[in-house]
Amino acid sequence: MPEDEGARRTEGARSQQAPVRKRQEKETHQWNGLRTNHTTVPRFILLGLTDQADQKQLLFATFLLIYLVTLVGNLGLIDVIQASTTLHTPMYFLLSVLSFLDVCNSSLFTPRLLTSFLTADQSISFEGCMVQMALMTLHGSGECVLLSIMAYDRFVAFCHPLLYHSIMSKHLCVQLAGLTCAAGVFISAVQTGDVFSLPYCGPNVIDRYFCDIPPVLQLACSDTTVANVILLIFSTLITVPAVSVILASYAYILVTICRMRSLEAQRKAFSTCASHLTALCLFYGSVFLVYLQPNPESVSAYNKILSVFYTIMIPMLNPPVYSLRNKDVKAAVLLRVLNLSRKRIC
């Protein structure tokens, strides 16, 4: 009978699928058990800079002013470099990239910090924390690489002045800017993936105003030894070559300056390097003080102040550091202001 044969085939197929269903149900049950044991916290609580209500208004006004100065200074510097043909050189191209990174970096932290002064909700979603950490690592790694590229640019300018424009061509500058971005994306993806591959089942309080890697790792529910080793390896991978390029470049620059016979020429050379050396000391000094400590948990308030310095203050300080002692930039700024004033009058 055709109907009986079809029924037997259906029953046979069901009997073959039964073990598969049981195995799938067993695996689902095991997975649900794992999720129950390591339930991911939906949100993190950022303690911020202060819990004193009477200080929040003053801090809000202060950091709002800092943020506005940062935007005006860096965007203004980018505009001046683009508008002035005398500043269309490799050094100022790299400086405009640095200003762009500073705007992005400041915009990542300051608006949320300002919001925390106005609202009682200090939480950030799990996904939001992940995105913030990824962008923070991207900008930090990118600036680390960019500062070393700027040191190499100064090395070529001082030690090979006749070949400067042929070595530091526009094509190479664009490639170096792309290298900065690529290095930042790679380190960010590895380190953020490393941190958030761990389970977080509570507590969920971060004693910072942003999702920094060390305090987030402290909240993991499993052993973080491997994660810390991976973090150390890739931090070393980006930091050691960058610092080595900087030290080697300025060692050659120092030798070249010392060989100059004119004291006036030496003074001008040191003055030219002073702005970049200042930016290097500000960035690496604050970062090393925060992350190269034997027991960072014991100096939480100290770390908060330093983290404010390298995430919010340095982006504000870079434009005046690079422009106040630079005659070309000051002349270009004055010319740009005069041109804008004439356009408004007309």
Side-chain angles (χ1 to χ4, degrees), residues 185-195 230 234:
V185 170
F186 174 69
I187 297 297
S188 174
V190 172
Q191 293 191 346
T192 306
D194 175 44
V195 172
I230 293 174
F234 282 91

Side-chain angles (χ1 to χ4, degrees), residues 268-287:
K268 288 183 178 179
F270 278 119
S271 178
T272 303
C273 295
S275 57
H276 188 238
L277 286 173
T278 303
L280 287 173
C281 292
L282 290 174
F283 178 77
Y284 281 103
S286 57
V287 169

Side-chain angles (χ1 to χ4, degrees), residues 21-59:
R21 289 177 182 173
K22 289 181 179 179
R23 186 172 64 252
Q24 289 176 345
E25 290 174 358
K26 182 178 179 181
E27 290 174 352
T28 302
H29 179 73
Q30 292 175 345
W31 172 243
N32 288 334
L34 289 174
R35 292 184 62 184
T36 303
N37 293 334
H38 298 291
T39 304
T40 300
V41 295
R43 305 186 73 82
F44 291 103
I45 306 298
L46 300 173
L47 293 185
L49 292 180
T50 182
D51 57 355
Q52 303 296 321
D54 56 335
Q55 298 178 359
K56 289 188 175 182
Q57 292 183 351
L58 177 61
L59 289 173

Side-chain angles (χ1 to χ4, degrees), residues 19-234:
V20 177
R21 289 177 182 173
K22 289 181 179 179
R23 186 172 64 252
Q24 289 176 345
E25 290 174 358
K26 182 178 179 181
E27 290 174 352
T28 302
H29 179 73
Q30 292 175 345
W31 172 243
N32 288 334
L34 289 174
R35 292 184 62 184
T36 303
N37 293 334
H38 298 291
T39 304
T40 300
V41 295
R43 305 186 73 82
F44 291 103
I45 306 298
L46 300 173
L47 293 185
L49 292 180
T50 182
D51 57 355
Q52 303 296 321
D54 56 335
Q55 298 178 359
K56 289 188 175 182
Q57 292 183 351
L58 177 61
L59 289 173
F60 175 83
T62 302
F63 283 102
L64 177 61
L65 178 62
I66 290 173
Y67 184 53
L68 293 176
V69 171
T70 301
L71 292 181
V72 172
N74 285 285
L75 293 177
L77 186 58
I78 293 173
D79 177 69
V80 167
I81 291 172
Q82 293 296 320
S84 177
T85 54
T86 59
L87 300 183
H88 288 178
T89 63
M91 181 179 74
Y92 294 110
F93 170 77
L94 296 173
L95 182 56
S96 64
V97 176
L98 178 63
S99 293
F100 174 75
L101 286 178
D102 283 340
V103 169
C104 295
N105 200 45
S106 182
S107 299
L108 176 63
F109 299 109
T110 313
R112 178 164 187 87
L113 180 61
L114 293 174
T115 304
S116 70
F117 294 136
L118 301 178
T119 61
D121 184 11
Q122 305 294 315
S123 66
I124 183 173
S125 67
F126 186 88
E127 294 77 11
C129 186
M130 186 188 305
V131 170
Q132 188 183 61
M133 184 183 293
L135 293 176
M136 178 200 71
T137 310
L138 189 155
H139 296 146
S141 303
E143 187 158 344
C144 182
V145 173
L146 183 62
L147 289 173
S148 67
I149 293 172
M150 295 174 75
Y152 174 75
D153 171 77
R154 293 297 81 207
F155 158 73
V156 177
F158 276 93
C159 300
H160 304 283
L162 299 179
L163 300 175
Y164 176 67
H165 288 286
S166 60
I167 295 176
M168 297 299 295
S169 63
K170 183 178 180 180
H171 180 66
L172 178 62
C173 289
V174 173
Q175 287 182 327
L176 292 174
L179 174 64
T180 299
C181 181
V185 170
F186 174 69
I187 297 297
S188 174
V190 172
Q191 293 191 346
T192 306
D194 175 44
V195 172
F196 284 95
S197 64
L198 299 173
Y200 293 89
C201 48
N204 64 337
V205 178
I206 302 174
D207 193 13
R208 290 285 196 281
Y209 61 91
F210 63 97
C211 290
D212 201 4
I213 293 177
V216 172
L217 273 178
Q218 293 171 17
L219 303 179
C221 299
S222 62
D223 183 36
T224 61
T225 302
V226 176
N228 280 309
V229 170
I230 293 174
L231 177 63
L232 177 62
I233 290 173
F234 282 91

